[in-house]
């Protein structure tokens, strides 16, 4: 869901050509699979296109991306194990740190919950995505055209 939501927010700002956004899990559970139906439904209800097959985080991702954002501390720990030794391009950190309610850094996996949990996660991901994009706009000095 985070890949779809962040891509949607970036596109709404007219910045899609400046970004390459992907999602990957730290385990092999859903490699090659479509997202959970509840994720797809939540995105559809919020007019967010989701077109993704699961993939696993691999060492090359640390050189192909600027950021690897983790939803929780277990993912962050797994990420550190996958990270190649030495210098890497990607910063790896918790995605929740980009939300204005950064007091809770964890984006809770709603897999064992109901639709309301997916809606709550969606709202949290929107806040984190907006915070991340604002940081990147400032950091990279991205100019946004207004009409």
């Amino acid at each position: 869901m985070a890949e779809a939501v962040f891509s949607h927010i970036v596109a709404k700002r007219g910045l899609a050509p400046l970004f390459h956004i992907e999602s990957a899990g730290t385990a092999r559970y859903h490699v090659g699979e479509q997202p959970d139906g509840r994720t797809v439904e939540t995105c559809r209800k919020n007019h967010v296109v989701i077109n993704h097959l699961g993939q696993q985080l691999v060492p090359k991702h640390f050189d192909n991306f600027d950021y690897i954002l983790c939803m929780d501390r277990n993912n962050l720990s797994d990420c550190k194990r996958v990270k190649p030794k030495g210098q890497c391009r990607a910063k790896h950190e918790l995605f929740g740190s980009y939300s204005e309610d950064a007091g809770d850094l964890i984006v809770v996996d709603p897999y064992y919950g109901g639709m309301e949990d997916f809606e709550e996660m969606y709202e949290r991901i929107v806040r984190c995505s907006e915070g991340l994009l604002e940081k990147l706009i400032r950091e990279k000095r991205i100019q946004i055209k207004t009409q």
Side-chain angles (χ1 to χ4, degrees):
M1 183 184 294
E3 173 187 345
V5 171
F6 187 62
S7 295
H8 178 76
I9 289 170
V10 166
K12 277 183 17 182
R13 298 285 293 270
L15 300 173
L18 301 177
F19 289 85
H20 179 83
I21 304 162
E22 289 187 21
S23 175
T26 58
R28 298 183 55 199
Y29 303 129
H30 303 290
V31 172
E33 294 179 12
Q34 297 282 335
D36 184 291
R38 296 165 296 177
T39 295
V40 174
E41 176 63 15
T42 302
C43 287
R44 185 194 63 72
K45 283 180 11 186
N46 289 285
H47 309 287
V48 173
V49 174
I50 187 165
N51 183 19
H52 172 75
L53 293 177
Q55 67 171 321
Q56 186 174 6
L57 181 69
V58 294
K60 72 176 182 174
H61 288 133
F62 289 85
D63 287 321
N64 293 346
F65 295 95
D66 294 324
Y67 291 86
I68 296 178
L69 302 170
C70 301
M71 298 299 184
D72 62 36
R73 286 184 176 79
N74 288 336
N75 291 152
L76 187 60
S77 178
D78 291 342
C79 180
K80 289 176 183 176
R81 281 200 306 276
V82 174
K83 179 183 175 281
K85 302 247 186 280
Q87 196 73 349
C88 294
R89 174 177 158 193
K91 290 171 63 172
H92 52 287
E93 54 198 4
L94 291 169
F95 189 42
S97 67
Y98 291 100
S99 176
E100 76 266 0
D101 59 346
D104 182 11
L105 300 177
I106 305 305
V107 179
V108 177
D109 186 347
Y111 185 77
Y112 295 105
M115 280 304 293
E116 66 279 355
D117 298 305
F118 281 81
E119 286 292 339
E120 187 177 311
M121 182 180 74
Y122 171 81
E123 295 299 330
R124 180 117 168 89
I125 288 172
V126 166
R127 291 189 303 273
C128 294
S129 294
E130 289 171 345
L132 172 62
L133 183 56
E134 289 306 316
K135 176 191 186 275
L136 294 173
I137 288 170
R138 284 190 313 274
E139 190 176 89
K140 306 288 185 192
R141 296 189 174 134
I142 297 171
Q143 298 296 314
I144 300 178
K145 295 179 185 174
T146 56
Q147 297 179 358

